Every structure is written in structure tokens, then in C-alpha cells.
Amino acid sequence: MMNASESRDSLLALARRLVESVAAPALAPYLAEWPAADGTRAAPAGRPAPRRANAPPTPPVLRWLPHIAADAHSFGAPLVAALCRAAPLLTWHQTYTTRDLEGSFLQNYAFTEILGPRGPSAGERVACGMLLLGPQTLYPPHRHEAEEIYVPLSGTADWQQGDALWRQHAPGALIHHLSEEPHAMRTRENPLLALYLWRSADLSQHARLDRRSAG
């Protein structure tokens, strides 16, 4: 069985391979900024990384990973399978709290970063990770300075950019959000797993709910 460091290294290699395979011009700047040698913050060799005392608790949305693992229509099947296997070893985050959004959303939302300031591998201008949303979940309009690309891996969902109409995107689509562009997502009967890429000089920033769009 692979330890935590080996699992994360495998995920990062598979993520890059998938991004390269999409072969879209919009991805070229992200690949140009991708570290040539991944600076993995690894545990000692042969020893699983201990769970930090202040590590976030395991989010409830991970209960949907068996459903995603069984999805015959996923895009990037090797990456999806590796993510589902490695999920218990990864650190999952939530940007928001119950002060921001209702508890039902937090039960169905989390992300993990595999490249960037929150991940095991360092990236100066590019971050890469996975977003997981449960079924029948609305991720309301939000924005951030970072330019962003999503590639859905499992689950067809609706996506909105700015005040445009909602558009349905299936696994394998490329969804590009410009800096400070409000955007939202809503899932249907299936959960959503999507690879995300951020590009910015400040990767430590967080997404902010777009109160103007929401209200």
C-alpha cells in the first residue's frame, strides 16, 4: 500500500498528465507556470505523514466518493480512481463557515489541493486541486482574483458565469473563469468531482461570496 507522500505524488503526476491531454490553448499559461520539479513537502521515507492535531475534520461530502469511483462515464479515470483511493490521506478544506452559508451546503462541499500553498507540493503561481460537491447542491456566486480553470471529472452539472444563463457541462469540459468574474455551480442527481487550476501571484487568497450577484 502506498503511503501518503507516494499517493500525493501519483495524484500530482496524473493531474498534470490530464491537463496536458486536454490540449486547450487556455491551459498553456498554467502549464508554463507549473513547477519543473515538484517541491513535495514529504514525510520521512517509508512512514505515512501523521495527521496534524489542527487538521480539518474529514468532511461529510466524502461519503460520495464510492459513487464517483463507480462512475463509468468519468473523465480521466486513472486520476479519479487515484483520488478516491488517496482521499483519506489528503487534507480537505472548506472556505466557508455557517456564518457564510447554511449547514446543508457545508455537508456537501470540500476541496483538496495537491499543488499550491495548501497542498503537499509547492507552486508559486499555479495551484491545482479537486472540488467535490454532493448532489442537489448550489455553490452560490463567488469570485476571486485568481484566474481559474475547471475540468469536471465526474458528474454533469450546471455552471454560470457572471449574469449569463446557466450552462450544462459534462465531464471533460473546460470552464474558464477570468479574474474577479463571478461564477456559480449547481449539481443535479449526481455528485460533482472537478479538477481546478488557479493562476495568480497570490495563491493564498480565498474565494469570496459575491453578495451583489446573490442579492
Side-chain angles (χ1 to χ4, degrees):
M1 179 180 296
M2 290 191 299
N3 65 27
S5 178
E6 291 168 333
S7 295
R8 292 180 298 229
D9 289 349
S10 174
L11 276 176
L12 190 56
L14 288 168
R16 174 158 187 156
R17 194 177 307 161
L18 182 139
V19 171
E20 291 173 335
S21 74
V22 174
L27 289 168
Y30 294 82
L31 289 169
E33 298 281 4
W34 198 288
D38 302 320
T40 305
R41 308 177 184 107
R47 187 182 306 168
R51 186 172 179 84
R52 301 190 308 273
N54 60 346
T58 301
V61 70
L62 265 62
R63 69 191 184 278
W64 292 106
L65 286 178
H67 180 100
I68 289 170
D71 180 12
H73 304 288
S74 64
F75 178 74
L79 176 59
V80 172
L83 183 280
C84 291
R85 289 195 302 269
L89 303 174
L90 301 175
T91 301
W92 293 83
H93 307 273
Q94 292 187 327
T95 300
Y96 314 102
T97 69
T98 52
R99 294 191 298 271
D100 307 304
L101 292 166
E102 60 187 16
S104 60
F105 173 80
L106 300 177
Q107 293 283 315
N108 286 285
Y109 152 80
F111 70 94
T112 187
E113 191 166 279
I114 56 176
L115 173 67
R118 304 175 189 88
S121 296
E124 292 186 2
R125 294 184 57 87
V126 169
C128 177
M130 307 288 172
L131 170 73
L132 181 57
L133 293 178
Q136 308 296 336
T137 298
L138 170 66
Y139 190 164
H142 55 285
R143 63 169 71 208
H144 35 75
E145 180 275 331
E147 181 187 4
E148 177 181 64
I149 285 179
Y150 271 108
V151 179
L153 303 178
S154 178
T156 294
D158 299 323
W159 301 71
Q160 185 185 48
Q161 295 180 247
D163 57 1
L165 296 175
W166 288 89
R167 295 186 60 191
Q168 183 182 125
H169 290 293
L174 186 145
I175 303 143
H176 188 187
H177 300 137
L178 301 178
S179 174
E180 297 293 353
E181 179 179 35
H183 49 282
M185 304 84 117
R186 64 187 183 195
T187 55
R188 300 187 175 202
E189 65 274 11
N190 292 310
L192 170 71
L193 176 67
L195 177 144
Y196 73 82
L197 295 166
W198 270 25
R199 191 165 72 97
S200 173
D202 176 18
L203 294 174
S204 64
Q205 65 186 276
H206 292 280
R208 314 180 309 277
L209 292 175
D210 192 62
R211 301 296 184 184
R212 181 180 56 186
S213 297

